[in-house]
Amino acid sequence: PPSSLIENYLREASFWHVANIGWGCQLDPKLISALIEWWRPKTHTFHLPYGKCIITLEDVQLQLGLAVDGSVLTGWASYKTHS
């Protein structure tokens, strides 16, 4: 699980549940290898035996339960003012 030092920040950003997804789950190396083989980075699609599969941001939002309303969280930014 994520460090307890950042837990409050993750909770405040409504990201705590996402940070804990998959904890304790075992990944299937063969499935991961297959997905890597089917991924086409130029088109950002999976080329599966039955056709193309595109993962959209809406898909990710629905699967992970992310909030799409509210303030944007983008990371660190800094600036200097010149006097």
Side-chain angles (χ1 to χ4, degrees), residues 8 12 14 20 31-32 34 44 51-52 63 76-77:
N8 289 335
E12 187 176 327
S14 300
N20 286 287
L31 175 61
I32 301 299
H44 300 284
K52 294 179 184 178
Q63 290 292 321
W76 293 99

Side-chain angles (χ1 to χ4, degrees), residues 36-57:
I36 290 170
E37 288 179 23
W38 290 332
W39 179 250
R40 301 297 180 263
K42 288 183 179 179
T43 58
H44 300 284
T45 58
F46 288 101
H47 287 244
L48 303 172
Y50 57 84
K52 294 179 184 178
C53 177
I54 298 171
I55 306 298
T56 66
L57 289 176

Side-chain angles (χ1 to χ4, degrees), residues 2 4 8-9 23-24 27 30 40 46 49 67 72:
S4 60
N8 289 335
Y9 297 110
W23 177 249
L27 299 176
K30 291 180 183 179
R40 301 297 180 263
F46 288 101
V72 176

